[in-house]
Amino acid sequence: MKVTLISIPVRDQEKALKFYTEKLGFLKKKDVPLEGGNRWITLVSKEAQDGPELLLEPAPLHFEPSKVYQEALMEAGIPYTQFDVTNLDAEYERLTKNGVEFSMKPTVMGTVKVAVFNDTCGNNMQLVEEL
């Protein structure tokens, strides 16, 4: 068994697609129209194009418990998920230049360095570099 798909709840799929591709650098893998104007949009990392796909899931628009959970995480400042990087300082600088807003600058926490940014679609995301 292996992980092939990870869902990220987003409030606006088009806005999320632009943010994750243009700002973060993910690549669009699938974009299939669905009912109600929704789409099955998946992204992959440039470094692992055959790796797990991120699904830009419009659940908060159609499933109230998803919206409540997403809002609670944001209010508490808890990241929805984590992306690993090899050089957090360089990634922080690149993303900041791309207009990504961080609520937590790179900070050493034991054996890792972490930073947290807002994906503009209802989620905090955490970047982690193992030291």
Side-chain angles (χ1 to χ4, degrees), residues 17-125:
L17 178 60
K18 289 185 81 162
F19 180 84
Y20 279 84
T21 56
E22 294 175 11
K23 304 267 186 194
L24 300 184
F26 284 94
L27 302 174
K28 182 168 63 171
K29 186 159 186 174
K30 296 175 187 156
D31 190 348
V32 180
L34 300 173
E35 293 179 7
N38 297 310
R39 294 150 59 191
W40 183 266
I41 304 171
T42 67
L43 311 172
V44 293
S45 167
K46 286 181 184 179
E47 294 83 15
Q49 294 183 34
D50 293 324
E53 296 176 43
L54 295 177
L55 172 63
L56 301 179
E57 173 64 61
L61 301 176
H62 311 291
F63 187 59
E64 188 63 23
S66 177
K67 181 179 179 183
V68 170
Y69 179 65
Q70 184 186 43
E71 287 174 353
L73 287 176
M74 279 296 287
E75 187 175 310
I78 298 172
Y80 185 82
T81 196
Q82 164 182 313
F83 300 123
D84 290 355
V85 297
T86 55
N87 183 333
L88 183 54
D89 293 325
E91 195 66 17
Y92 173 81
E93 187 173 320
R94 180 185 77 83
L95 294 177
T96 300
K97 285 181 182 175
N98 278 347
V100 175
E101 294 183 15
F102 283 80
S103 60
M104 178 182 182
K105 294 180 180 183
T107 304
V108 174
M109 300 178 121
T111 61
V112 297
K113 188 184 289 188
V114 301
V116 177
F117 66 88
N118 183 320
D119 77 351
T120 73
C121 301
N123 306 293
N124 287 312
M125 298 299 198

